Amino acid sequence: MSHNNLSDIKKQHVENYLNALLDQIKNNTDVLVDQDITSLLKKPPLDSMDTLRVKLLDLAKKHQIVLNTEKLDELIESYRNVLLKSCDEIKNIRISKLQSFVSKDNLKDDNDMIKINKSEFNSINQKIKKVLKDALVNANDHYICKNINSVFPKDLDENLKKKIIDEYTKYLNGNYKKQLIENFEIKVLVKDTTLLNSIKEQNERYLFTLEHSRVFQDL
């Protein structure tokens, strides 16, 4: 085999290695966003598990008020849709940032590997967490605060209505937000760890082939 052909084989090996890393980053992020994160934001299978719905109904029951459940379901669906829309941005940020490290320019020599430090993950996670937090603020301001009146009886005392709304928004900005962000961070951490291990395994396979393949030893 000619030297040029051997060089081409080695270049192809590097390309395959980089493409494998790019695929791992994309697949890992797709699962994180499309399954893990969206599971936190979508409507639960049972109404009794729907904390957003149950909380407002409990507040109304506490004050002996009957809410328009049809309007309530529409309100919460709109709220969730705003949060779900943030998933596209989260996915794009994570994929683009992580894939930016996967480049031939980052390989100093043939035996070098792609390395992504934990600090880089921390920086990316701060960005995607901010996207979710901003979506929560937007959903509260534009869907709950502006449209929540539609779920109450028209003749309800305004002071009582305000009291219930204040309690509900306090819950949304307090316990609900806190629990959602904590669960979000756990999901992200698990996928970060999985991806780091996958990259490590890919690096080991790449180096093992370089060091032990008879073809590459001829170069």
Side-chain angles (χ1 to χ4, degrees), residues 69-84:
T69 55
E70 182 178 343
K71 291 293 185 181
L72 173 59
D73 290 341
E74 291 175 2
L75 178 73
I76 294 177
E77 183 180 3
S78 297
Y79 180 86
R80 285 198 169 98
N81 285 338
V82 174
L83 300 184
L84 287 168

Side-chain angles (χ1 to χ4, degrees), residues 53-70:
R53 189 177 191 272
V54 170
K55 180 64 178 180
L56 190 53
L57 287 172
D58 284 347
L59 288 172
K61 183 178 180 180
K62 174 183 173 183
H63 296 284
Q64 299 180 328
I65 297 168
V66 177
L67 300 180
N68 184 328
T69 55
E70 182 178 343

Side-chain angles (χ1 to χ4, degrees), residues 39-59:
S39 71
L40 301 174
L41 307 177
K42 287 182 177 179
K43 177 179 171 59
L46 300 176
D47 284 342
S48 60
M49 300 167 61
D50 191 343
T51 56
L52 290 172
R53 189 177 191 272
V54 170
K55 180 64 178 180
L56 190 53
L57 287 172
D58 284 347
L59 288 172

Side-chain angles (χ1 to χ4, degrees), residues 6 22 45 71 93 158 160 172 186 189 197-198 201-202:
L6 289 171
L22 293 174
K71 291 293 185 181
I93 289 173
E158 288 297 324
L160 180 54
L172 290 176
I186 292 171
L189 178 60
N197 290 335
S198 297
E201 290 174 5
Q202 193 66 47

